[in-house]
Amino acid sequence: WHDVREASVDGPYSYMMATNTDISRQPTVVSDAGLNDKKYIDFGVWGGNGKWLAWMNSAGVSTTLSLRSVFIVFGSHNGNNAGGGITLIQSSGSTIHFTPKDTNLWYPSDNVIATLGINYLDRIMSDGRNLQIFDKAYHLIECATLLSGSANTFARERSLPQYYGGSRICEAILFTTELTSSERLQVQDYLWHKWFERSGESSLGTFDLSNDAALDIVTGDDDLQLTVSGGGTVSKSGSGTVALMNSGSGSFDGTVRLLAGNLLTAGEPLLFDLDEGGQTLFAQDIRVNRSSASAGTVVKTGSGELAVASVDSSVTKISVTDGSLRLAPPRVASSVTLTNGVVNEHSLEAFDPGGTASWINYTPLTGPWTATVNGWRFDRTAYTESGNFLVGVAFDYNRSGRIMEIDSAPDGHTVLYINLGLVETDFTVPAPGLYRLSFQAAAWASYPNLPVEVQLDGVAIRTIITLTGAFVRHDILLPFLASGSHTIGFEGVSTVDIRAGFIDDIRVSPESSVLASINNPSFEEPVEMFESAVVTSEPTGAGWIFAGLAAIGHIQSLNPVERKMPQTVPEGIGTAMIPITGSISQDITFPTSGVYRLSFAYAARAGLINHSFNVMFDDKLVRPFKTIDTAFHRVELDLPPVDTGAVLELKFVGTGVADQASLIDDIRIERIKEDTSLPDLLNGGFELETNNWDCTLYAGAYPNGNAWAETVPYGSYFGYTAITHSFAQSVTFTQSGNYALRFLTKTRDAYTLTSYHDFEVTLNGEVVGYICNMDDALRSYELPLPSVDAGVPYELKFKGLQSCASDTLSIYDEIAIVPLQSPSKMSVDGLFPKTMALEVASGAELVLDFDGVIQLDEVRYDGHLVDGTISAATYPEFVSGSGSIYSAASGTLIMVK
């Protein structure tokens, strides 16, 4: 049937088989057309007709495994009552680790091994204490236990026949060792694609493209979804549909090439490159569909807008039959990122002798006690009485007596070896500013818990402890650095000489922002607590105020006796742990006025998911959170504007119940902009509910605890427009000029991709933006407003369009008006061929979204030739925007008398 893998590090796997000598209880092998004729083991209906299998080794001896990771593809219930339990695996011994209850996959009280483990159902993390199956479909269950759990049978609960059967098991992969995240995903991917994939996966994730990058998507007949940011070009081919999403204004400044099939676009309209003729592009609502047209011709149909960034010279004609065509070159490419600092021999590979050594000791007890090799200085003068092998380099080659796992060095094969003593080298930074030091550190597995002092220019800036043989990445924000040369050092400072650690992949990268100083932002202090308990409640001297059993915890090695903390964390080795209603808080001093962004990483503590907590700033709610995943997620929150020197409290406070806890790590507060918000718009955060807003029937403001179970993005209230309803406000500007409108928006969390909501924003009836919310991601937009005059009232309106057939809505927050910072546009030279003809039907529109003039061979509107300068001033009936087209007259009439 299927092999069960036992733990094995270097040697071959050993195999087991599952069998049953009781013929009447032996399951059958069944082929299922619904699984593309793949086979499963049928254990019969749960109860009197149930069947089961015992686990045997090759000699036929019953074998019990101590399991840490379980993967099972199964068909649920097999004739049992809906909502009832099934027995997947269990132990016939006194401790029942994997037996279910009638209504749960894992038994919620006796079976703490599985229920409090890290459980996934169909690749979605689920609370093991309430993991229920309500259908008879096939599913994938995963369980990473917190402790080892025993099992030796399939489909047998206890020894009573009435508790046999109930399962249809397709495939099981069991591990007696704990898996890393990447290993777990590999197993999950293998099983999911083998048993469940039909027409391809729908979500491709997020792609961040640099300005010259290209992403080619070939769909075949599949429907796909992805999020893009950055610049570059996205090309889509194949007959399927791609849902292409971004994160708001400026998140994706690149272009799209639709070579075949259909696109769904969320957010602001995307810019298209027209690389060839012979295509009809239908643009309406969120859809852009491509079909064929006459050679050399592009036909734009549909009532929506098609935004075009460039046209290939092979296109001889563009015909706009409906809606609008926008000619809009993309924004200028972002400036080059700041240059990294240069660390001498950051990966230590200059020391590599080619696989002939396990380590090299540069300061032997017999001396000399200092050495300089390849620009690194090794110094043991403070530890002259200790033994050999204090500081040097080590290698990860495959040879007997190695001190590292084979090929375990993060960068190359060489690492710094530190026991007692100092190793240091120089690095240079090209410009003055803030920089971040990153490196990876691990323990010699036989000698963990080495304190390593990290030094900058001879001054200690952080102490870490090497807890595990697995390499952990550390990031340390450095003090402000002058340009030029500096020194980075690592010193082993243990009181004993029987510990050792490794350092590798040492880099210095720039930080471009002004930062507000946070004490112990990644919870690495006090370092001495990491040498004992995994979690220390309400510690002192950590830079934070801990209350309600809030704690600092540190990472654990890959296979501990009991899993309480994760294997890795975003920064360093420590995190804050917030249980139930516990809290951590700190007063933050802001160096200068402006708007700052708070960012941090958060996750659920293993076995304690679904914890909720609030982020508070100056005793006001910024955002509530719920941790439903043990994987860390990073979030960014804009804080209210602050004044220079302001001292305000930052607080994370739990709002959960028993058996729930969250982890917080790597907290940063960086200045992102000046406070440019204007007082002309009132109650943009809806904290005064609908004050200042005129709302139609299904529009208004809702708080936390609303009927939709939606969390407020900022503060305590959000605005909403349902279906085609709207809210509006009369805005009178104190100064004439050009402004932009900023806001945040999303749909409800409960919506699927097909249940989108779109809306338009108008100023005095003139449309300034069209937005489509196609998923529940919170997006930020900035829409330029038409030029306004002081003292004149203007109506600002958000109105739902309800292009989707279902009853949907959009949520809004943090609406503000700011001075317009005009984005730089690329030159229009060469983007639109001079030989091209443009034909616009009556009622259709042309938007010239650029500065300057382009030249075209011919322009027609409503079948009539128009020539000369074509702009919003000369042809307002079909042209808008700041640019203009020049089309020379087709001929000259000369009359001679």
Side-chain angles (χ1 to χ4, degrees):
W1 171 44
H2 194 281
D3 297 318
V4 181
R5 176 186 152 185
E6 292 185 311
S8 178
V9 178
D10 295 321
Y13 300 146
S14 60
Y15 294 98
M16 299 173 57
M17 62 182 179
T19 187
N20 192 334
T21 57
D22 185 345
I23 297 177
S24 65
R25 292 293 181 183
Q26 289 178 356
T28 56
V29 179
V30 178
S31 178
D32 190 342
L35 292 172
N36 293 328
D37 293 325
K38 294 185 179 72
K39 295 179 174 62
Y40 65 85
I41 300 292
D42 188 348
F43 289 86
V45 177
W46 187 75
N49 296 322
K51 305 175 186 301
W52 63 281
L53 285 178
W55 299 357
M56 308 287 181
N57 62 19
S58 57
V61 178
S62 178
T63 301
T64 298
L65 293 183
S66 181
L67 299 178
R68 292 307 300 262
S69 300
V70 173
F71 300 79
I72 304 176
V73 178
F74 66 96
S76 61
H77 298 307
N78 203 5
N80 195 17
N81 294 330
I86 60 170
T87 303
L88 292 176
I89 58 178
Q90 79 119 36
S91 171
S92 60
S94 59
T95 303
I96 302 174
H97 289 300
F98 287 92
T99 300
K101 193 181 180 184
D102 291 342
T103 56
N104 294 80
L105 191 61
W106 306 134
Y107 196 84
S109 56
D110 294 342
N111 181 22
V112 295
I113 301 300
T115 60
L116 295 184
I118 303 174
N119 288 274
Y120 294 83
L121 180 62
D122 295 334
R123 305 193 301 175
I124 299 175
M125 186 174 289
S126 303
D127 190 337
R129 294 162 294 178
N130 189 34
L131 192 56
Q132 297 174 282
I133 306 292
F134 292 103
D135 56 42
K136 297 181 181 181
Y138 292 95
H139 298 279
L140 169 62
I141 182 69
E142 305 169 48
C143 179
T145 66
L146 304 185
L147 291 170
S148 294
S150 299
N152 60 12
T153 65
F154 283 105
R156 170 179 168 173
E157 181 186 344
R158 291 173 279 178
S159 60
L160 303 176
Q162 61 266 34
Y163 294 110
Y164 295 172
S167 299
R168 291 170 288 151
I169 298 182
C170 303
E171 185 167 357
I173 301 179
L174 314 174
F175 294 86
T176 57
T177 57
E178 189 176 358
L179 301 185
T180 65
S181 295
S182 61
E183 289 170 339
R184 182 189 70 79
L185 290 173
Q186 289 180 56
V187 178
Q188 180 194 86
D189 185 72
Y190 157 73
L191 290 173
W192 187 261
H193 285 80
K194 176 179 177 179
W195 291 96
F196 297 99
E197 184 179 41
R198 296 295 182 266
S199 59
E201 293 300 311
S202 62
S203 178
L204 298 181
T206 299
F207 294 82
D208 187 5
L209 307 178
S210 61
N211 290 306
D212 58 352
L215 173 65
D216 294 324
I217 307 169
V218 182
T219 64
D221 297 329
D222 301 335
D223 295 336
L224 304 174
Q225 174 185 343
L226 71 153
T227 300
V228 289
S229 62
T233 302
V234 177
S235 296
K236 187 269 173 189
S237 59
S239 60
T241 298
V242 169
L244 197 59
M245 296 177 281
N246 58 48
S247 299
S249 294
S251 64
F252 179 63
D253 292 330
T255 57
V256 178
R257 295 169 182 165
L258 181 57
L259 305 179
N262 311 319
L263 277 178
L264 303 179
T265 61
E268 296 172 293
L270 297 171
L271 291 174
F272 286 80
D273 290 320
L274 304 184
D275 280 1
E276 58 184 350
Q279 57 177 308
T280 296
L281 296 175
F282 172 85
Q284 185 167 305
D285 306 328
I286 66 173
R287 293 169 291 165
V288 180
N289 303 340
R290 173 170 170 156
S291 57
S292 61
S294 300
T297 299
V298 175
V299 181
K300 189 275 167 188
T301 65
S303 61
E305 179 181 278
L306 181 70
V308 175
S310 68
V311 179
D312 188 77
S313 59
S314 64
V315 177
T316 58
K317 179 181 178 181
I318 297 180
S319 178
V320 185
T321 64
D322 195 8
S324 62
L325 176 72
R326 180 185 296 269
L327 301 182
R331 296 182 177 94
V332 173
S334 301
S335 59
V336 178
T337 57
L338 296 176
T339 305
N340 289 339
V342 179
V343 180
N344 170 61
E345 284 299 326
H346 72 277
S347 67
L348 293 312
E349 295 311 297
F351 295 89
D352 189 348
T356 60
S358 181
W359 64 69
I360 299 176
N361 177 28
Y362 286 110
T363 59
L365 184 59
T366 57
W369 289 331
T370 61
T372 300
V373 184
N374 294 322
W376 279 86
R377 294 177 291 280
F378 300 83
D379 186 352
R380 62 165 292 167
T381 53
Y383 306 95
T384 57
E385 301 303 320
S386 299
N388 283 323
F389 310 116
L390 294 193
V391 285
V393 293
F395 309 94
D396 66 354
Y397 290 111
N398 183 9
R399 61 186 301 273
S400 61
R402 66 181 185 271
I403 62 175
M404 297 178 62
E405 290 297 325
I406 303 169
D407 293 330
S408 62
D411 192 346
H413 295 283
T414 314
V415 299
L416 291 176
Y417 170 96
I418 302 174
N419 182 333
L420 298 175
L422 171 68
V423 291
E424 61 180 5
T425 194
D426 296 328
F427 70 95
T428 58
V429 294
L434 292 170
Y435 291 82
R436 188 173 294 272
L437 167 69
S438 68
F439 58 91
Q440 299 200 52
W444 184 351
S446 302
Y447 305 100
N449 295 331
L450 172 70
V452 177
E453 189 176 87
V454 184
Q455 300 175 4
L456 173 69
D457 294 333
V459 178
I461 56 174
R462 172 77 62 85
T463 300
I464 68 167
I465 289 186
T466 56
L467 295 174
T468 167
F471 275 88
V472 175
R473 182 182 178 87
H474 295 263
D475 288 285
I476 302 174
L477 182 67
L478 301 176
F480 186 91
L481 298 179
S483 60
S485 180
H486 298 271
T487 300
I488 190 71
F490 303 92
E491 182 173 1
V493 292
S494 178
T495 57
V496 295
D497 64 353
I498 57 172
R499 298 171 178 172
F502 309 126
I503 305 288
D504 195 16
D505 192 22
I506 305 152
R507 301 178 186 272
V508 174
S509 56
E511 291 279 338
S512 59
S513 303
V514 174
L515 299 174
S517 179
I518 304 175
N519 293 322
N520 199 17
S522 59
F523 304 97
E524 305 305 308
E525 304 291 342
V527 69
E528 56 268 17
M529 74 169 58
F530 296 152
E531 297 187 49
S532 53
V534 174
V535 175
T536 304
S537 296
E538 299 185 14
T540 59
W544 295 81
I545 297 174
F546 291 79
L549 298 180
I552 288 180
H554 65 71
I555 63 172
Q556 292 176 278
S557 59
L558 294 183
N559 195 30
V561 174
E562 182 177 4
R563 165 67 62 207
K564 292 183 178 180
M565 291 289 291
Q567 301 165 3
T568 61
V569 298
E571 201 283 322
I573 61 176
T575 76
M577 192 275 289
I578 303 176
I580 315 177
T581 58
S583 67
I584 61 171
S585 60
Q586 181 179 153
D587 287 342
I588 307 296
T589 300
F590 291 85
T592 186
S593 62
V595 177
Y596 286 75
R597 177 173 293 154
L598 166 69
S599 65
F600 60 91
Y602 71 101
R605 187 177 175 187
L608 303 177
I609 68 173
N610 292 332
H611 181 248
S612 56
F613 65 91
N614 289 337
V615 179
M616 309 291 293
F617 180 68
D618 193 23
D619 204 29
K620 299 180 180 64
L621 176 67
V622 177
R623 178 93 68 86
F625 287 89
K626 189 173 186 178
T627 51
I628 60 174
D629 195 337
T630 55
F632 275 91
H633 300 273
R634 188 154 196 90
V635 66
E636 295 181 343
L637 304 174
D638 289 358
L639 299 175
V642 299
D643 296 326
T644 301
V647 181
L648 302 171
E649 183 188 55
L650 173 66
K651 188 173 187 178
F652 298 80
V653 55
T655 58
V657 297
D659 294 330
Q660 295 177 345
S662 297
L663 304 178
I664 308 290
D665 195 28
D666 195 17
I667 302 172
R668 309 177 193 177
I669 298 179
E670 55 185 333
R671 187 179 185 273
I672 57 173
K673 59 190 176 184
E674 295 182 9
D675 179 16
T676 57
S677 58
L678 302 172
D680 304 308
L681 179 74
L682 302 176
N683 193 25
F686 299 93
E687 295 308 291
L688 301 177
E689 300 184 57
T690 57
N691 285 11
N692 308 110
W693 294 101
D694 296 323
C695 305
T696 58
L697 180 61
Y698 296 117
Y702 261 7
N704 277 314
N706 55 76
W708 302 323
E710 286 294 328
T711 56
V712 174
Y714 290 89
S716 301
Y717 285 83
F718 61 76
Y720 73 93
T721 59
I723 320 175
T724 59
H725 287 259
S726 64
F727 55 72
Q729 180 177 153
S730 179
V731 181
T732 301
F733 293 84
T734 55
Q735 295 183 10
S736 302
N738 295 309
Y739 297 89
L741 177 73
R742 287 180 182 165
F743 58 92
L744 303 170
T745 185
K746 66 185 290 290
T747 57
R748 284 185 56 197
D749 289 343
Y751 290 165
T752 59
L753 182 61
T754 55
S755 297
Y756 63 87
H757 184 263
D758 53 353
F759 63 92
E760 66 180 13
V761 183
T762 61
L763 188 71
N764 270 11
E766 181 177 347
V767 176
V768 297
Y770 163 78
I771 305 295
C772 174
N773 281 320
M774 204 160 63
D775 62 356
D776 60 359
L778 187 68
R779 292 179 167 86
S780 173
Y781 292 97
E782 180 171 315
L783 305 179
L785 298 175
S787 181
V788 300
D789 296 323
V792 178
Y794 293 83
E795 184 192 54
L796 175 68
K797 178 184 285 189
F798 289 75
K799 183 182 186 303
L801 297 177
Q802 192 57 25
S803 299
C804 183
S806 58
D807 294 338
T808 53
L809 58 86
S810 287
I811 290 169
Y812 312 86
D813 211 344
E814 296 295 287
I815 302 174
I817 291 176
V818 298
L820 177 63
Q821 303 292 326
S822 299
S824 299
K825 288 282 189 177
M826 290 176 58
S827 169
V828 295
D829 293 343
L831 297 180
F832 307 100
K834 297 178 181 180
T835 56
M836 186 183 76
L838 179 61
E839 186 174 281
V840 182
S842 177
E845 298 178 349
L846 180 64
V847 182
L848 307 180
D849 187 11
F850 54 84
D851 297 327
V853 182
I854 62 174
Q855 184 175 340
L856 298 180
D857 180 61
E858 181 180 283
V859 178
R860 290 180 180 270
Y861 176 67
D862 192 18
H864 301 290
L865 189 67
V866 293
D867 53 31
T869 299
I870 302 164
S871 66
T874 57
Y875 292 94
E877 61 270 30
F878 77 100
V879 180
S880 62
S882 59
S884 60
I885 297 174
Y886 179 76
S887 179
S890 297
T892 302
L893 176 64
I894 301 175
M895 181 178 291
V896 180
K897 290 185 178 180

